[in-house]
């Protein structure tokens, strides 16, 4: 199963700033609970951020999860704290801490990871692992790394893999991307209860209100779920650069996580080169169903 990220560090061994940010996360979870903001899950989460603005001034921000009757508008603690900081002009994050009150040791979800890396992959990440406020210390960038395998040329792929690459590349032209201008396509290969295999396709579908956009991978995964196919899953997806860090959006990885912790992912580059990756590698120490 998935290895925890970072190095175990006792609260007493943290710097003054780090201690303050850890306390903010603990307080954030308490505030979310106090205001009944996590009324759907009863799963209070808190986050703390120390960030720097353009003048080099430093400020701290806290946050807790804010839920909605309809799940998608729910904002995780990390994103609440991050948007508070960014909105005040503090866009360079230095320290980020996270605390799940009922599941200490939890780690940010894929959507939060995607937002956090935008404001500093070099920031220190403190995942609080117990009620004594001890942490695991890593970097925010560790939350969305790249794949480790070498890139393979199209000619060196198996016949089946070449077919998938051709098919997924051909689909890209159907993407609706007037705003992002980043056409993407995905194939989700999976089995139903009877062991029958099928391939589900998806393309990116932008929305004028950006947050309402659907990513190719999630479209494919959700079609599969609708048809009752959710076993032995495998994702094939076009990406800008299969060898870069964070080749697939955190949101897609989080949706894939619901099908299991370690699905194979085939990253297809614009030149039809391929990198074979796994979910646990691209979304290490993931937040999954076991937490709730
Ligand atoms: N949650 C967070 O606040 N942060 C995470 O990284 C994972 C999940 C919240 C969202 C929702 O309110 C509840 O926990 C259950 O998912």
């Amino acid at each position: 199963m998935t290895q925890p990220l970072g190095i175990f560090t006792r609260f007493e061994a943290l710097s003054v700033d780090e201690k303050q940010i850890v306390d903010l996360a603990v307080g954030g979870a308490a505030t979310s609970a106090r205001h009944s903001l996590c009324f759907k899950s009863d799963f209070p989460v808190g986050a703390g951020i120390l960030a720097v603005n353009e003048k080099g001034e430093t400020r701290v921000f806290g946050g807790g999860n804010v839920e909605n009757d309809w799940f998608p508008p729910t904002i995780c603690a990390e994103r609440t704290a991050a948007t508070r900081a960014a909105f005040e002009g503090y866009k360079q994050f230095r320290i980020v801490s996270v605390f799940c009150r009922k599941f200490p040791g939890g780690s940010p979800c894929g959507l939060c990871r995607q937002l956090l890396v935008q404001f500093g992959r070099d920031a220190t990440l403190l995942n609080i692992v117990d009620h004594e406020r001890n942490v695991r210390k890593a970097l925010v960038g560790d939350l969305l790394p790249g794949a480790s395998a070498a890139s393979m040329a199209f000619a060196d792929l198996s016949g089946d893999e070449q077919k998938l690459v051709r098919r997924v590349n051909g689909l890209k032209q159907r993407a609706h991307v007037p705003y992002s201008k980043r056409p993407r396509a995905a194939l989700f290969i999976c089995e139903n209860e009877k062991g029958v295999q099928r391939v589900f396709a998806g393309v990116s579908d932008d929305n004028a209100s950006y947050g309402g956009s659907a990513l190719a991978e999630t479209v494919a995964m959700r079609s599969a779920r609708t048809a009752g196919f959710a076993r032995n899953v495998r994702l094939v997806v076009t990406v800008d650069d299969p060898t870069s860090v964070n080749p697939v959006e955190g949101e897609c990885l989080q949706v894939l996580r619901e099908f299991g912790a370690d699905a194979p992912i085939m990253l297809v580059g614009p030149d039809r080169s391929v990198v074979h990756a796994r979910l646990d590698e691209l979304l290490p120490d993931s937040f999954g169903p076991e937490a709730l």
Side-chain angles (χ1 to χ4, degrees):
M1 262 304 256
T2 163
Q3 285 294 315
L5 270 178
I7 295 164
F8 178 85
T9 312
R10 299 203 70 81
F11 181 77
E12 294 74 33
L14 298 175
S15 70
V16 173
D17 282 345
E18 288 170 341
K19 281 182 179 153
Q20 188 189 4
I21 298 309
V22 162
D23 284 340
L24 262 178
V26 174
T31 305
S32 173
R34 179 155 30 86
H35 296 316
S36 296
L37 297 172
C38 50
F39 61 102
K40 298 296 282 185
S41 66
D42 191 27
F43 187 80
V45 185
I49 292 177
L50 183 141
V52 181
N53 69 6
E54 277 175 357
K55 292 186 199 150
E57 296 161 338
T58 298
R59 234 173 95 180
V60 300
F61 300 86
N65 48 339
V66 181
E67 298 189 346
N68 192 278
D69 263 326
W70 289 98
F71 281 15
T74 291
I75 315 252
C76 294
E78 299 89 320
R79 277 177 289 150
T80 302
T83 49
R84 288 183 79 188
F87 195 72
E88 296 294 333
Y90 290 76
K91 297 194 293 183
Q92 216 175 46
F93 294 0
R94 290 280 158 78
I95 307 172
V96 177
S97 70
V98 187
F99 177 60
C100 299
R101 205 154 84 172
K102 286 196 176 165
F103 187 70
S107 188
C109 81
L111 281 78
C112 290
R113 293 179 187 209
Q114 196 65 60
L115 189 79
L116 291 172
V117 296
Q118 179 107 22
F119 298 112
R121 292 185 70 92
D122 297 340
T124 300
L125 174 72
L126 304 171
N127 274 345
I128 303 165
V129 295
D130 54 33
H131 292 276
E132 276 76 61
R133 295 172 293 166
N134 299 318
V135 303
R136 284 196 323 267
K137 201 173 187 174
L139 292 179
V140 164
D142 297 335
L143 293 167
L144 289 172
S148 57
S151 173
M152 288 177 72
F154 182 76
D156 296 331
L157 301 173
S158 72
D160 280 350
E161 287 171 339
Q162 290 189 347
K163 262 191 218 159
L164 290 169
V165 168
R166 279 204 201 93
R167 184 167 166 196
V168 80
N169 270 337
L171 268 176
K172 267 166 79 169
Q173 63 193 17
R174 296 217 194 117
H176 171 71
V177 287
Y179 318 110
S180 71
K181 312 264 196 292
R182 294 170 87 175
R184 297 272 291 269
L187 298 172
F188 192 52
I189 304 158
C190 45
E191 293 175 5
N192 68 5
E193 299 276 320
K194 292 181 190 151
V196 177
Q197 194 183 70
R198 241 171 87 178
V199 182
F200 295 83
V203 292
S204 10
D205 186 28
D206 282 3
N207 187 276
S209 172
Y210 290 6
S213 304
L215 299 160
E217 300 91 318
T218 61
V219 173
M221 289 188 266
R222 281 169 163 151
S223 307
R225 181 75 81 188
T226 309
F229 286 67
R231 294 184 163 193
N232 271 330
V233 304
R234 187 175 156 211
L235 183 69
V236 180
V237 58
T238 65
V239 296
D240 298 336
D241 177 3
T243 62
S244 73
V245 295
N246 192 189
V248 173
E249 280 78 11
E251 177 177 348
C252 302
L253 299 170
Q254 188 62 42
V255 175
L256 181 58
R257 176 66 177 84
E258 202 68 19
F259 293 88
D262 200 18
I265 303 175
M266 201 167 134
L267 305 168
V268 181
D271 60 354
R272 306 202 293 181
S273 66
V274 161
V275 171
H276 289 285
R278 302 195 67 90
L279 177 58
D280 190 45
E281 182 182 15
L282 299 184
L283 192 75
D285 196 6
S286 52
F287 180 87
E290 305 78 22
L292 299 184

